[in-house]
Every structure is written in structure tokens, then in C-alpha cells.
Amino acid sequence: MNAITNHMPTAELQALDAAHHMHPFTANGELAEKGARIITRASGVTLTDSEGNQILDAMAGLWCVNIGYGRDELADVAARQMRELPYYNTFFQTTHVPVIALAKKIAELAPGDLNHVFFAGSGSEANDTNIRMVRHYWARKGKPSKSIIISRKNAYHGSSVGSGSLGGMSAMHEQGGLPIPDIHHINQPNWWAEGGDTTPEDFGLQRAQELEQAILELGEDRVAAFIAEPVQGAGGVIVPPATYWPEIQRICDKYEILLIADEVICGFGRTGNWFGSQTMGIRPDIMTIAKGLSSGYAPIGGSIVSDEVAAVIGGDEFNHGYTYSGHPVSSAVALENLRILEEENIVGHVQDVAAPYLKDKWEALTDHPLVGEAKIVGMMGSIALTPNKETRAAFAAPAGTVGYICRERCFANNLVMRHVGDRMIISPPLVITPEEIDTLIERARLSLDECYEQVKAEGLYTAL
Ligand SMILES: *Cc1c(COP(=O)(O)O)cnc(C)c1O
């Protein structure tokens, strides 16, 4: 194996990193003192850092390495494509073989009449495309006033100005003048944190009906689309009550507003079907894709669009596109990734083996004194940490204090598990085996135990 083992000592690398590299979503000053963890290689579900630690990556990078690390086939395809045609664009009536093959494959995998793909370099770019596409769609249908896109608080749709505006992350909106005009946010279906005394079923209906109220308040002639993740990912793996999505679909149908399913995490097997929309039983007009499309081996994203929307948009020139829309190397890598997902029946492995095995063990974590609810759909799961399971209380300490302690314990125990506030989340590679799931759970339990001890010792085990 051609591993890079002759790199500089960790401390030197960390100093250079701190001096010149600005990290995304990171307090860079704080990191400079501590030093970043340096990942040097990976294979299967396991990362190796510059100190030689073997870390189980229960987040699949950033929710993306669906087929696992270290698949030579993707490296070979990338090298071959770079030699043959490293770059050509798809503007101005040109195309190339990898993008044609990939678009055809995605159309085949996507449900219903979702048969057309507009490519982008990332999920953020794809959602920016969606903003312009749905507004342009209604303009071409003679209804230019339909420009408002309804989204949800605590949604994540990307980090560009457009996609960050679609998202409902208040910490993002506080910086840089977001959101852009004509984006409206309703409440999320997060029963654990916001459901009060309501049953999950009633709460799911209530939160879905906020969409109807918003349409009526804003005016049917003003609303273009509703966008949502089938299961909120970065918001904390919030699984909506079963009543939620059927009601949302009913409302979208009734008022004829476009439904955009942001499948950037849920797509390509994560929920146990090819798309989260299938798991949730919804019929979107547009799907946003990225992450698992290439298993993160090359940057690529896109919008899968229905026959109807594509026909309307295609009627004249859509003044939109990215230099790297349908990049040949990314397209070839994505196509190879889809071949592996399909031929190795990895979605079937999730449904029949990995997800049921993980679900049992994950839900059993609720016997731990710190853990309130455990939620899981396919291979994305979350647990809520709480000082009082009965009242579902939040900690008195600022949100995220305890979650951060838990995440640090996990990292020290060679497990990557993320925290969102005081929820711990996982999204492992889909190829994870039952034995590796045992290791994941073992390390999670050990970390929860250590976190519990620390939280009690520091006087943090108190309710708000
Ligand atoms: C990650 C993510 C995005 C943004 O994708 P990038 O490739 O980071 O731009 C959009 N939507 C969802 C649901 C995501 O999880």
C-alpha cells in the first residue's frame, strides 16, 4: 500500500495548519491552541491519523462515504478519465460520455417521472439551482409572483448564500446577511425538544399543518415550493413522526406547490431505500443530490427534476450553470460508485443486515442514564442526552456543553460520533458489518459512561 508515512511530525503539521488553513464551521483560534486531528488514510470504515490511531468513522466523513473508504475501482476510473478527457464543459450545446451515462443511470434509479438531472459541484450549488429553477418555472407558467420558498427552522441545505438562506440554522443567518428575500421558515417536527405534552402523532400533524397555514397567510399566488430533508441530518437526525410526511404531501398536492426533497444525505441508500423519499412515501418534483452520489470520492451534486418541470424550464434558455456542472472525472467516479452500490447490493445490505442489527443495539442505548430517546432510520441515528428522561428536560448548561464532552470522549475512544447541541448522531458507511457495529456500540457506551461521570463531577447533571 502506498501510504504516506514520511510526513512531518504531527506538531509541525498542526502548526502549519493553524498558520495557513481556515477550517469550515470551526472556531479557528481555539483549534490553533489544541491542534487539529490529522487524518492520513482510511480503509473500509476505519480512519488512520498521523499518530497511527485507528478510528471507527461512524459519520462516513460528512455523511458521504456510503461505499466505505479505499475502493481502488474509483481511483482507477478517475485516473483513466483524467487521461482521456480531464475536463470539458456542458455549456453551449456540448456534452461528453461520462455525464451522459451518469444522467441516464440517475434517471433509472430515481422514482417516478424524475428523469432529468441538472448537475452542480455540491449540494449547496444544487440547492442554489433549485431556488432559481422553481422561481423560473412559475414565471414561465405566467405566475411570476410565486417566488416564496417555504423551508423549516433547523433545516440544513448548504452554506452558500442561497442554500444557507433555505436552511434554517440561526447561527448561520446571524453572519453575512442571510436569508435572502422570499424564503419563509416554519417549525420543524422535532417532538423530543418541542412536542411538549402532545403525542408524537398529533405533533407531527400540527407541524405539517404549519405549511398549510403559511401558504394561506402568504397567499397561494406567492408560494413556489416547499423544501425539506426527508430526515433532517445536520439538524440532529430528527426523524419526523409517521403522521408528518403524508400530511405535507397532501398540502403540496392541494395547493399545487412544488415539493423539493433534499436527498443530499438520505439519497443513495442511507435510509434503506435508494432515496429517502421512498422511505417516507413522498413524491417530490425535484430532488437535491450530492454526498453519497460519489461516496465523497469526487465533488459532485445535482438536481433530479420531473418531466413536467424539465419541460417548462427547457422551453427557453435557463441562464444558469457551473463550470464544473457534470465534471467528467466526478461523473465517471459517481457512475462507478453507483455501479458498486448496485452490483454489490449495498442498499439490500442496509435493509436486510446492517440497519436491523444497528437499530436493536442503538435503541438499547436508552437504558443508559444519560440517554433519553434513540431514533434511527436505516443508517442514520441520533440519541438525545438529557438529565431527566421523563420530562425530556434540557441541561441547565448552554446547549451543546454536554454533547461536546461526549464527542470528545468518543474521539478519545477512537470513535467519530458527532454532536448537534446535546444530541449525538451517527451516519456510518453503509457497508459496515455487524462486527464493526458491535465495536461502534461498545465505544459509544464507554464514551457515554465517561461522559456521565464527567458531567456529574462538573455539576452539569442538572435540568434547565
Ligand atoms: C451537506 C448537505 C448539503 C450541502 O452539500 P454541500 O456539498 O456541502 O454543499 C445540502 N443539503 C443537505 C441535506 C446536506 O446534508
Side-chain angles (χ1 to χ4, degrees), residues 409-428:
R409 294 324 308 155
C410 289
F411 226 153
N413 291 317
N414 289 331
L415 173 67
V416 178
M417 176 153 80
R418 220 166 105 179
H419 79 111
V420 177
D422 295 315
R423 281 187 96 84
M424 305 306 299
I425 60 176
I426 56 163
S427 169

Side-chain angles (χ1 to χ4, degrees), residues 122-124 127 156-158 229 262 264-265 290-291:
S122 67
S124 300
N127 276 326
Y156 189 78
H157 297 299
E229 304 150 82
D262 186 336
V264 170
I265 288 174
K291 295 192 172 122

